[in-house]
Amino acid sequence: MTRSTLDTAALAHDLRLAVMRFSRRLRNQRVDTSVTLTHLAALSTLKRHGPMSPGELAAHERVQPPSMTRVVVALEGRGLVTRTPHPTDGRQVVIGLTDAAETLLTEEARAREAWLSGRLQSLTAEKRAVLREAAEIMEELAGG
């Protein structure tokens, strides 16, 4: 292996661990811990992509349809999603967010961003600039 390959492998290792730790800390900044992370992920997908069938939601979340059915039932029981008839397929329903879900997602994002803003304030302007560049690079990596 070349030095460059070893350096890249070491960077990949270090970055993976740092991202995992950071993600865990960020996920722990919760408003309502009675809503699972799986449920929040499904709600976030609906917010980002709009109403969809349970099968489409399962595909977005990369889970099996029966698993998503359980998630939808739980979310509906909490008043966080609605089911409406599919406009063209009578066998299907469309899952959408309720106002309560929109509020929950806003509060969850606000709590996480408040925590992160506080952490960022403790850094120097130079380190914040580095993180601004790193955020762009990570977006690029995630897109590829």
Side-chain angles (χ1 to χ4, degrees), residues 63-136:
V63 299
Q64 293 299 314
S67 297
M68 187 51 66
T69 297
R70 288 189 291 278
V71 168
V72 169
V73 167
L75 292 171
E76 188 177 30
R78 294 186 62 111
L80 297 172
V81 297
T82 59
R83 290 177 195 244
T84 57
H86 192 281
T88 60
D89 184 347
R91 301 166 297 163
Q92 293 274 345
V93 294
V94 175
I95 307 302
L97 295 178
T98 64
D99 290 343
E102 294 276 1
T103 299
L104 173 67
L105 290 170
T106 299
E107 290 172 357
E108 288 287 336
R110 192 173 292 140
R112 290 174 182 170
E113 288 172 12
W115 173 82
L116 185 53
S117 290
R119 301 293 292 184
L120 290 170
Q121 284 297 324
S122 70
L123 299 176
T124 65
E126 291 80 17
K127 285 184 177 182
R128 286 195 304 272
V130 168
L131 284 175
R132 192 169 286 110
E133 285 185 51
E136 291 175 16

Side-chain angles (χ1 to χ4, degrees), residues 6-7 14 16 21 33 44 68 100 104-105 115 125 139:
L6 290 173
D7 287 347
D14 293 347
R16 178 183 59 81
R21 286 185 188 119
T33 57
S44 294
M68 187 51 66
L104 173 67
L105 290 170
W115 173 82
E139 270 300 319

Side-chain angles (χ1 to χ4, degrees), residues 25-93:
R25 288 289 308 270
L26 199 54
R27 279 194 315 263
N28 285 335
Q29 308 309 310
R30 302 283 312 280
V31 171
D32 183 351
T33 57
S34 70
V35 178
T36 69
L37 293 173
T38 300
H39 293 170
L40 282 176
L43 292 173
S44 294
T45 295
L46 288 168
K47 183 174 179 78
R48 184 174 30 247
H49 299 287
M52 62 184 72
S53 73
E56 292 169 321
L57 185 55
H60 274 283
E61 292 299 304
R62 296 191 167 117
V63 299
Q64 293 299 314
S67 297
M68 187 51 66
T69 297
R70 288 189 291 278
V71 168
V72 169
V73 167
L75 292 171
E76 188 177 30
R78 294 186 62 111
L80 297 172
V81 297
T82 59
R83 290 177 195 244
T84 57
H86 192 281
T88 60
D89 184 347
R91 301 166 297 163
Q92 293 274 345
V93 294

